[in-house]
Amino acid sequence: MNRALIIYLSVILCSCDSGVLWSDHPYEVHWVDTGSNVTLARRINGGPDTIGRVDAEVIAVGSNDKFVVAKQRVIGSDSISYFYVEKSKDSTYLNLSEITQGPFSEARFSKLKAELELPDFTKEF
């Protein structure tokens, strides 16, 4: 094989990288390709596949027995939004828009936190 083709194939095959930054089974915060592509997802049937719950860029997360909470910075801005997922209502058959509650402002999220007893953010990214 020609050297340029080998280099090209190496770049293509190695260009997708990912890692898990936080986990509370079946939920995880992971990144794909870049450190700013940090999302909250749910593992599907215990396997490696996931379904999104909060899109990038997740900057903080927390959980308790009932809820998972996430703080998101809109990529390319300083705008912050807040989300929560009620674990007992979640299913691998639901899309992000069907289960994730939010986006909320900080003021609205603070009220919901008190009303629903949402957990604190325990991990920042």
Side-chain angles (χ1 to χ4, degrees):
M1 260 189 209
N2 130 2
R3 185 176 201 163
L5 181 58
I6 292 172
I7 292 171
Y8 174 76
L9 289 174
S10 296
V11 169
I12 294 299
L13 294 174
C14 297
S15 65
C16 289
D17 199 7
S18 65
V20 175
L21 303 171
W22 173 91
S23 179
D24 179 13
H25 183 73
Y27 299 93
E28 70 181 33
V29 172
H30 60 249
W31 60 272
V32 177
D33 290 335
T34 70
S36 65
N37 191 12
V38 178
T39 62
L40 172 65
R42 177 189 166 110
R43 285 215 171 267
I44 298 173
N45 301 324
D49 297 327
T50 61
I51 187 164
R53 291 296 177 247
V54 178
D55 290 332
E57 174 183 12
V58 172
I59 59 172
V61 69
S63 67
N64 62 20
D65 291 342
K66 296 181 181 180
F67 298 98
V68 177
V69 293
K71 185 186 214 181
Q72 175 200 60
R73 178 177 42 234
V74 176
I75 294 176
S77 81
D78 292 330
S79 179
I80 303 291
S81 297
Y82 298 83
F83 300 84
Y84 74 87
V85 174
E86 191 169 350
K87 291 178 176 182
S88 66
K89 293 183 178 178
D90 200 356
S91 161
T92 57
Y93 302 105
L94 296 174
N95 292 319
L96 180 152
S97 62
E98 296 173 291
I99 187 61
T100 303
Q101 303 299 308
F104 299 108
S105 67
E106 183 175 13
R108 178 68 180 132
F109 187 77
S110 293
K111 288 181 182 179
L112 288 167
K113 186 176 186 312
E115 290 171 14
L116 301 172
E117 300 179 5
L118 297 173
D120 292 329
F121 293 105
T122 56
K123 179 75 174 177
E124 294 184 12
F125 311 105

